[in-house]
Amino acid sequence: MGEVPEITPKALAAHLLGYLNLEVDILPPLKDPVYALNQKRLQYDAGVILKAMESEPFQDYAKIIGVLDLDIFVPILTHVFGEARQGGSYALVSVYRLKRNSDGSTPPLSLILERGAKVAMHELGHLFDLHHCVDRKCLMHFSGGLEDLDEAPLYFCRYCSVFLRDAL
Amino acid sequence: MEEKMSIMIVDDEEIVRESFLHWFEKTGHRVDAASSGFEALEKLEKFPFELLFVDIKMPGMNGIELLGKVKEEYPDTFVVIITAYGSIETAVEAMKLGATDYLLKPFKPEQLSLVMEKVAYQRKLVSEYEYVKGRLEEITRFDNIIGQSPPMQDIFELIPEVAQSDSSVLLMGETGTGKELIAKAIHAKSRRAHLPFIAINCGAIPDTLLESELFGHQKGAFTGATHPRKGFLEVVSGGTLFLDEIGEISPKMQIDLLRVLEEKKIIRIGDREPINVDFRLISATRRDLEKEAAEGGFREDFFYRINVIIIQIPPLSKRKEDIPLLVKHFLEKYSHETTKRVDHVTSEATQLLKDYDWPGNVRELENAIERAVVLSKSRTLGKEDFGFLRTIPSPISKPRSLREMEKHYIQEILENCDWNVTKASKILDINRVTLHKMIKRLNLKRP
């Protein structure tokens, strides 16, 4: 959605195929979701974007992940890396806050893409009705900040794997 | 696996409630929302939410007021205060009132995560504390005798004094008043506390069997006595023997026990050698043994031997001020045992329980609470949950004087006849003039 480097959705799709063995298509980009811009916060409301996506159903696809390079938020939180409705069909992944480390330094592209892939797989987990997991070594464990996200693995714990397999 | 919590979001802004709901859906916790403090209190009455996120600025009842009410009514509920307008003063006030934490909207995802970890940790501590407390209560079961009424306070003061001596104690009280609990309390506070406490219900055992149970027997003493066996008087060695329903034992057994109490020796059935025994006797009865002894229905010498100290336990109907305390105790017990969170009783229901006469005493009250907790679909027990108590006809349970009954009945008939004296006198089958006289004598007045 909007201006996102071509490599980003490609890398995310490759991770979903490689780790979850899911068939993934990359669709033509949508326009910038200017309708979701909150003038007060100068951020984009993730809930509003998801609602807009829901109103334009994408046929032939079980789940849709929107990839953007915009600062997204939900009303109670300062920001989110991604957003999805539990058991829903649409999710968002934003690389906006993944491109800069907490200390202000710029991470290598490979790390940015790995972070994006983790967020995408985590949100996809929610779309398949997986809840947050208490196991810190599980991708469904909640990552509040970039440090947590970097520590998170690219795989699910054995319980979440079973739940995901059942859902697939 | 993390235990799931029941969470309620209380905020007047729909967008905030929705945002929270979506967030917590992803965690697997049970989550609900209320748009005002009043709605939150209504929902709390019906369901035991464990954690509340409460916005400070709300119309009607603000978050701090709600926090105060929640902590007063449901002290175990965790409350996290959320606000868009942060001030140190409100934060301090909220924490003083018992809030678990304080979040400034919008908050960082990791802050919410930390709050949840903190709540989970405190919840774990509370549940561990409850477990240890439960274990301690089991160990010191005598502390389960509940009551703040003057007669119960007298008993509580008496127990440690009585426990210090070795004299025989007779507990008198109706069935279900907690005689065995008091016997156990005396034992637990005595120097014999580390030795056995043996309770025998004399009314439940046939006399011949009771003899063998108490004194034991030698091999071949009677048909079926294939092995020698120690009796309870021997087994109790050094401890306390509690004989419940002592009024039920036969005159022969009274003589045998009297001898044991005097000589501190027993002879097993079928044996000749006396065995030294050492025990403290606590007996209990619901009968008026003094009267029976005076009338010859119970051995007088045995009666005076077992009643060196008498403790009269009042029936529940004579200490109704203890009912709310007992109800609270049994609610905690059965909420814990049944894992159903039922922790409130409406004031109407409490009044109903206080009005009832409890012929079965504390035991009946305990059973009533257990039944109500098991069948309740809400966390608060109401009047309707105790509907089964009304099946007991009240005139029997509330004895009145003949004059009172007469006054009540005539008043009722007069009211049914709209105070038409001629009509009422026909129903009562008395002369009209007589009825007029009775109205005057009984001071009956038209409402």
Side-chain angles (χ1 to χ4, degrees), chain B residues 381-395:
Chain B
L381 296 180
K383 216 173 162 183
E384 61 286 353
D385 290 304
F386 295 100
F388 54 91
L389 290 177
R390 284 179 220 137
T391 53
I392 310 285
S394 59

Side-chain angles (χ1 to χ4, degrees), chain B residues 258-270:
Chain B
L258 179 64
R259 199 167 59 215
V260 175
L261 289 174
E262 282 171 350
E263 295 172 8
K264 299 280 179 196
K265 278 183 183 151
I266 58 156
I267 298 172
R268 285 187 195 171
I269 303 170

Side-chain angles (χ1 to χ4, degrees), chain A residues 35-131:
Chain A
Y35 52 86
L37 179 67
N38 183 305
Q39 294 292 351
K40 242 185 188 173
R41 296 178 61 157
L42 294 178
Q43 286 176 298
Y44 293 80
D45 190 326
V48 173
I49 305 173
L50 285 177
K51 260 187 195 154
M53 288 169 81
E54 279 163 13
S55 64
E56 275 181 68
F58 295 78
Q59 281 165 359
D60 306 327
Y61 296 99
K63 309 287 178 191
I64 298 283
I65 300 175
V67 185
L68 7 73
D69 190 1
L70 299 168
D71 195 10
I72 57 171
F73 75 100
V74 295
I76 55 167
L77 299 177
T78 50
H79 65 274
V80 285
F81 299 143
E83 177 66 352
R85 293 283 176 262
Q86 189 67 17
S89 302
Y90 301 89
L92 294 175
V93 176
S94 166
V95 289
Y96 183 86
R97 287 187 183 245
L98 309 181
K99 295 186 300 184
R100 193 167 291 264
N101 292 329
S102 335
D103 60 4
S105 60
T106 309
L109 180 64
S110 59
L111 182 56
I112 298 170
L113 294 176
E114 190 184 309
R115 285 171 179 173
K118 283 177 183 175
V119 177
M121 284 164 70
H122 177 95
E123 298 306 333
L124 193 67
H126 285 312
L127 296 185
F128 284 112
D129 219 8
L130 261 60
H131 291 129

Side-chain angles (χ1 to χ4, degrees), chain B residues 179-354:
Chain B
K179 296 188 286 288
E180 187 168 337
L181 282 180
I182 290 176
K184 278 182 181 167
I186 295 171
H187 171 71
K189 298 259 181 201
S190 75
R191 62 177 177 84
R192 300 174 184 270
H194 62 287
L195 294 162
F197 173 90
I198 294 179
I200 299 170
N201 185 341
C202 302
I205 307 173
D207 208 45
T208 44
L209 191 59
L210 184 63
E211 187 185 8
S212 138
E213 290 286 303
L214 286 176
F215 295 90
H217 57 76
Q218 278 299 49
K219 185 179 172 185
F222 48 82
T223 317
T226 49
H227 298 282
R229 194 186 150 191
K230 283 184 180 178
F232 285 131
L233 290 168
E234 228 179 306
V235 174
V236 73
S237 60
T240 303
L241 182 71
F242 174 59
L243 296 181
D244 200 1
E245 303 294 358
I246 196 139
E248 308 301 317
I249 64 171
S250 68
K252 182 183 169 292
M253 183 59 75
Q254 290 173 35
I255 295 168
D256 289 343
L257 277 174
L258 179 64
R259 199 167 59 215
V260 175
L261 289 174
E262 282 171 350
E263 295 172 8
K264 299 280 179 196
K265 278 183 183 151
I266 58 156
I267 298 172
R268 285 187 195 171
I269 303 170
D271 202 359
R272 286 182 180 184
E273 286 301 308
I275 302 164
N276 289 329
V277 287
D278 171 32
F279 64 93
R280 200 253 178 97
L281 179 70
I282 302 179
S283 325
T285 184
R286 59 191 153 96
R287 287 162 48 169
D288 186 352
L289 290 186
E290 190 170 10
K291 195 174 159 209
E292 286 185 31
E295 288 169 358
F298 197 79
R299 283 193 67 89
E300 218 168 350
D301 48 359
F302 182 58
F303 174 67
Y304 288 114
R305 194 79 209 181
I306 60 171
N307 83 349
V308 180
I309 300 165
I310 286 191
I311 298 180
Q312 193 84 41
I313 306 160
L316 191 53
S317 56
K318 291 267 166 25
R319 53 179 188 111
K320 291 202 166 176
E321 62 266 48
D322 286 339
I323 288 178
L325 208 63
L326 284 159
V327 168
K328 187 173 171 283
H329 171 74
F330 293 134
L331 267 188
E332 276 172 16
K333 180 178 173 185
Y334 289 106
S335 293
H336 186 71
E337 272 184 23
T338 59
T339 64
K340 271 177 90 170
R341 180 80 74 91
V342 181
D343 49 11
H344 277 72
V345 179
T346 62
S347 49
E348 292 85 20
T350 306
Q351 195 52 49
L352 176 91
L353 297 177
K354 280 171 114 176

Side-chain angles (χ1 to χ4, degrees), chain B residues 45-277:
Chain B
E45 213 172 273
K46 291 182 189 125
F47 190 83
F49 290 94
E50 292 163 279
L51 170 62
L52 264 59
F53 282 87
V54 175
D55 186 28
I56 283 197
K57 214 175 167 202
M58 287 189 292
M61 184 192 298
N62 70 38
I64 296 288
E65 283 173 83
L66 177 63
L67 167 68
K69 283 187 196 297
V70 169
K71 282 289 158 187
E72 197 184 309
E73 287 279 310
Y74 313 100
D76 296 342
T77 307
F78 298 103
V79 179
V80 174
I81 291 290
I82 44 171
T83 182
Y85 315 91
S87 78
I88 302 282
E89 290 77 23
T90 26
V92 170
E93 196 188 344
M95 297 308 275
K96 268 188 188 168
L97 281 169
T100 304
D101 217 327
Y102 186 90
L103 282 171
L104 201 61
K105 278 190 292 191
F107 29 88
K108 288 182 178 171
E110 52 265 50
Q111 284 175 320
L112 182 54
S113 182
L114 274 175
V115 165
M116 292 306 290
E117 273 176 31
K118 185 175 172 182
V119 171
Y121 179 67
Q122 287 195 7
R123 192 166 165 251
K124 188 172 160 264
L125 287 183
V126 169
S127 99
E128 279 172 4
Y129 166 74
E130 289 294 327
Y131 173 76
V132 173
K133 196 172 139 218
R135 292 284 301 138
L136 267 177
E137 272 171 11
E138 266 175 42
I139 294 163
T140 56
R141 195 172 284 270
F142 58 90
D143 285 334
N144 279 355
I145 314 164
I146 308 249
Q148 55 190 11
S149 58
M152 289 313 283
Q153 288 300 320
D154 290 346
I155 290 174
F156 293 151
E157 277 176 30
L158 204 58
I159 288 172
E161 285 175 34
V162 169
Q164 296 314 309
S165 82
D166 243 357
S167 311
S168 301
V169 179
L170 179 63
L171 303 172
M172 294 176 79
E174 291 176 11
T175 181
T177 45
K179 296 188 286 288
E180 187 168 337
L181 282 180
I182 290 176
K184 278 182 181 167
I186 295 171
H187 171 71
K189 298 259 181 201
S190 75
R191 62 177 177 84
R192 300 174 184 270
H194 62 287
L195 294 162
F197 173 90
I198 294 179
I200 299 170
N201 185 341
C202 302
I205 307 173
D207 208 45
T208 44
L209 191 59
L210 184 63
E211 187 185 8
S212 138
E213 290 286 303
L214 286 176
F215 295 90
H217 57 76
Q218 278 299 49
K219 185 179 172 185
F222 48 82
T223 317
T226 49
H227 298 282
R229 194 186 150 191
K230 283 184 180 178
F232 285 131
L233 290 168
E234 228 179 306
V235 174
V236 73
S237 60
T240 303
L241 182 71
F242 174 59
L243 296 181
D244 200 1
E245 303 294 358
I246 196 139
E248 308 301 317
I249 64 171
S250 68
K252 182 183 169 292
M253 183 59 75
Q254 290 173 35
I255 295 168
D256 289 343
L257 277 174
L258 179 64
R259 199 167 59 215
V260 175
L261 289 174
E262 282 171 350
E263 295 172 8
K264 299 280 179 196
K265 278 183 183 151
I266 58 156
I267 298 172
R268 285 187 195 171
I269 303 170
D271 202 359
R272 286 182 180 184
E273 286 301 308
I275 302 164
N276 289 329
V277 287

Side-chain angles (χ1 to χ4, degrees), chain A residues 95-167:
Chain A
V95 289
Y96 183 86
R97 287 187 183 245
L98 309 181
K99 295 186 300 184
R100 193 167 291 264
N101 292 329
S102 335
D103 60 4
S105 60
T106 309
L109 180 64
S110 59
L111 182 56
I112 298 170
L113 294 176
E114 190 184 309
R115 285 171 179 173
K118 283 177 183 175
V119 177
M121 284 164 70
H122 177 95
E123 298 306 333
L124 193 67
H126 285 312
L127 296 185
F128 284 112
D129 219 8
L130 261 60
H131 291 129
H132 285 161
C133 179
V134 283
D135 188 347
R136 287 187 179 275
K137 291 199 172 94
C138 174
L139 191 51
M140 286 316 288
H141 184 77
F142 170 69
S143 303
L146 282 177
E147 288 80 6
D148 291 343
L149 189 62
D150 288 341
E151 272 178 34
L154 261 164
Y155 49 82
F156 300 96
C157 71
R158 62 193 181 100
Y159 297 107
C160 291
S161 301
V162 171
F163 294 140
L164 184 64
R165 211 168 39 235
D166 288 350

